[in-house]
């Protein structure tokens, strides 16, 4: 099918007989699992779908619908916890469909023996995050599993939003010449989680970037920015998101390494841990593909919304499905998708 | 507040510091957990809510929204598996709101090492169950947890439906004189799960009653039956469902023990295991509260839909919040809610 697929992970290696950790990592293995096993059960009668949600019409209104389970470890980390993550993550999936988040469900799988005080803390975080985004948590479920058969707490949220974008927001709408805008610096969430894991003898002051993204997206839509594609940069980070968009849109992307903001302390942690910030998960960052003529205005609007947005590259008319990154000394290399995630259970 | 609450489980005993298995059981402890910890985060702007779902208006259409996580053990059992359960369970929660199920999400939490063949089997069951109910699985998520921190597979589904009932379907609409219709015999799901648990040295040919319930509910709505309340009889069984409705509606219910159908093999298994079939979980049974004048027609319509429905009792004008059951020899006793479930992880 595609050079980069063969290059990274041959198909034979992807067809495993048991689930591996990397199947949850946002890379090749996860996409392979989704395509070959899960998606066969999914049939969307409305073809106009966004990346991580479905769009359909009900009562004359175009709705977006999305779900995510959260298994982040540890449950509490600098900058957030599983509760804020579960609300913001689903709010953001709706925002990336160009949809205003309206209603959320919340389902808890709790391990026997889990402290009630921590559950209260998570629920309070969800309440705060929901209020911040103007969404309502309206329905829920609680299951308890016996000790040793869970890991404290898993949370699922599903969300319903009303599509506000006036044109389709998905890779199919991406055009040669579009400018790629990055909403802020990379890598904070992944590094914060890694630092919070007890067994890592490593300390940093970095807090997760976990944040809701509907307000900035709304500002772009209301200003008339033609959003061709939006993508939050969670599992697999910026690199995996761009590769997936390039492949789906069958277009070529070029980005400038020096344009991509990474905090010095995040870069230091990445260097220490042998990680590439381009692949580290974020929970409050997104990439927007907009017409070149609206790129400067997009950066300005996101700046006014409090985000340190920058233009990092462009869609070119080159060979489809590829992402090229130009380094500081003029050399250009091609980004490839990892088979898994650099660290599991990041969200 | 209420006699039966004090009788069964004093408040002091409910406020535990850690989560117990019984918190997931559908009895007092679960309701206490929901009321004191979880529901504080839930604020439904539309007051017209049904039991296990939220109802709100979008684009002039009244929608129902619900979610459930499934942690059933074992994953495969006579009459179904976690996949059919996850689709039918959420379809049924929507049906109990008087809503036609339209779209479902599906989220998988998979333990590292889980056999790919079993995942395929579960996904195939979901596809079959979705087709059977005319719903679309349109969006999903996959997370993988490290070995030892899950239990094979947990599935969450959330569902969106369009409310078709013309009048409110909830305990608030229940009136003195209403007849209680039971859609079929009790206890099959719980007994099938218990028999399938490897450590129970007990065999039976009983298969789960796991089935979708929208079609029979639709038949009632289309025939003009005024559905005052609908409730599927899952965790906690018929007894817990009736007690909860009686308490919420502040009404008194009287049911006839001899009118309640239980298969001889289910009764035998209950006797063997020391269980009361009234409290055993079902996954394809519901109770309907309808005006007395429409009771016979309701039974007839459900019969035509292939269900062995019977009238089992009535709403009386007696003291609120109680369920009385008349035994075969004239004696009447009061049903009380258990603090937990007779067996955990039934769904």
């Amino acid at each position: 099918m595609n050079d980069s697929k063969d290059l990274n992970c041959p198909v034979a290696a992807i067809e495993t007989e048991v689930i591996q950790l990397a199947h949850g990592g946002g890379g090749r293995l996860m996409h392979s699992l989704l395509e070959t096993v899960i998606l066969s059960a999914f049939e969307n009668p409305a073809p106009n779908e966004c990346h991580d949600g479905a769009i359909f019409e009900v009562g004359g209104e175009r709705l977006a619908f999305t779900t995510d389970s959260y298994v982040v470890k540890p449950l509490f980390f600098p900058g957030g916890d599983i509760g804020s993550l579960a609300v913001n993550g689903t709010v953001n999936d709706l925002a990336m469909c160009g949809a205003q988040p309206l209603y959320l469900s919340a389902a808890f799988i709790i391990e026997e023996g889990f402290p009630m005080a921590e559950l209260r803390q998570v629920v309070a975080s969800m309440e705060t995050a929901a209020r911040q985004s103007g969404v309502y948590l309206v329905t829920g479920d609680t299951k308890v599993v016996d000790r040793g058969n869970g890991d404290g707490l898993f949370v699922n949220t599903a969300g319903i939003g009303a599509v506000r974008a006036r044109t389709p927001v998905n890779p199919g709408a991406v055009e040669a010449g579009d400018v790629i805008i990055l909403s802020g610096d990379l890598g904070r969430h992944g590094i914060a989680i890694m630092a919070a894991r007890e067994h890592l003898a490593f300390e940093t002051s970095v807090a997760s970037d976990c944040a809701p993204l509907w307000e900035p997206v709304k500002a772009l839509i209301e200003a008339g920015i033609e959003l061709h594609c939006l993508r939050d940069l969670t599992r697999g980070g910026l690199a995996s998101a761009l590769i997936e968009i390039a492949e789906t849109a069958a277009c070529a992307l070029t980005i400038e390494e020096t344009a991509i903001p990474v905090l010095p302390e995040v870069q230091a942690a990445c260097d220490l841990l042998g990680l590439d910030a381009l692949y580290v998960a974020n929970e409050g960052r997104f990439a927007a593909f907009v017409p070149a003529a609206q790129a400067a205005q997009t950066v300005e609007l996101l700046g006014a919304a409090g985000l340190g947005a920058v233009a990092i590259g462009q869609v070119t008319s080159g060979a489809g499905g590829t992402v090229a990154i130009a380094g500081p000394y003029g050399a250009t290399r091609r980004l490839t998708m990892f088979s898994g995630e650099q660290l599991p259970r990041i969200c």
Side-chain angles (χ1 to χ4, degrees), chain A:
Chain A
M1 281 284 294
N2 178 299
D3 280 337
S4 75
K5 272 187 182 164
D6 297 332
L7 198 74
N8 289 315
C9 196
V11 170
I14 287 181
E15 284 175 3
T16 63
E17 281 182 13
V18 299
I19 291 290
Q20 301 173 3
L21 262 182
H23 278 116
R28 285 278 172 236
L29 268 174
M30 189 177 91
H31 289 109
S32 162
L33 175 69
L34 291 175
E35 277 162 32
T36 62
V37 180
I38 309 281
L39 291 179
S40 61
F42 290 69
E43 183 195 351
N44 190 343
N48 180 10
E49 200 165 341
C50 61
H51 166 62
D52 208 5
I55 293 179
F56 43 77
E57 222 173 285
V58 178
E61 180 103 30
R62 289 176 66 230
L63 297 183
F65 183 33
T66 184
T67 189
D68 264 319
S69 289
Y70 297 86
V71 299
V72 66
K73 190 174 187 166
L75 297 176
F76 301 90
F77 48 84
D81 60 33
I82 193 172
S84 56
L85 194 63
V87 169
N88 288 338
T90 292
V91 159
N92 293 351
D93 281 346
L94 292 170
M96 296 301 106
C97 296
Q100 176 183 355
L102 299 175
Y103 300 101
L104 259 53
S105 65
F108 302 87
I109 298 175
I110 317 173
E111 187 185 4
E112 183 186 12
F114 186 72
M116 196 68 82
E118 293 190 16
L119 182 61
R120 284 183 189 275
Q121 204 177 333
V122 169
V123 170
S125 290
M126 296 182 78
E127 191 177 20
T128 303
R131 204 176 326 110
Q132 196 184 350
S133 283
V135 295
Y136 293 99
L137 287 158
V138 290
T139 188
D141 177 54
T142 305
K143 292 290 188 307
V144 179
V145 293
D146 35 325
R147 205 181 292 264
N149 282 317
D151 195 15
L153 178 67
F154 301 141
V155 179
N156 174 282
T157 49
I160 298 176
V163 178
R164 302 293 183 218
R166 282 168 290 267
T167 53
V169 181
N170 61 51
V174 168
E175 290 173 9
D178 280 358
V179 170
I180 307 165
I181 312 287
L182 173 63
S183 74
D185 64 291
L186 293 184
R188 292 197 211 183
H189 178 72
I191 296 302
I193 294 290
M194 291 176 205
R197 291 217 174 129
E198 290 170 53
H199 60 278
L200 286 180
F202 149 70
E203 277 186 39
T204 172
S205 58
V206 175
S208 168
D209 57 297
C210 181
L213 294 173
W214 167 241
E215 283 301 325
V217 170
K218 180 183 163 197
L220 299 180
I221 292 172
E222 288 183 348
I225 301 294
E226 207 177 288
L227 296 166
H228 289 168
C229 189
L230 294 170
R231 185 66 52 92
D232 53 343
L233 310 173
T234 57
R235 284 185 283 182
L238 174 69
S240 305
L242 293 185
I243 295 167
E244 205 193 310
I245 291 169
E247 291 181 358
T248 310
C251 65
L253 313 180
T254 308
I255 59 173
E256 300 285 334
E257 194 161 5
T258 52
I260 297 168
V262 179
L263 290 182
E265 54 268 43
V266 169
Q267 191 56 58
C270 283
D271 292 345
L272 193 70
L273 296 167
L275 301 174
D276 185 340
L278 293 177
Y279 292 85
V280 174
N282 314 275
E283 288 294 337
R285 297 289 181 263
F286 67 101
F289 287 67
V290 300
Q294 295 185 314
Q297 193 192 351
T298 301
V299 170
E300 203 176 305
L301 286 162
L302 292 178
L307 305 183
V310 284
I312 59 161
Q314 204 153 11
V315 181
T316 71
S317 51
T322 59
V323 181
I325 182 162
Y329 309 111
T332 291
R333 65 193 166 95
R334 181 165 158 199
L335 291 182
T336 55
M337 205 182 274
F338 292 167
S339 62
E341 162 67 56
Q342 297 183 112
L343 262 192
R345 298 189 57 184
I346 213 80
C347 60

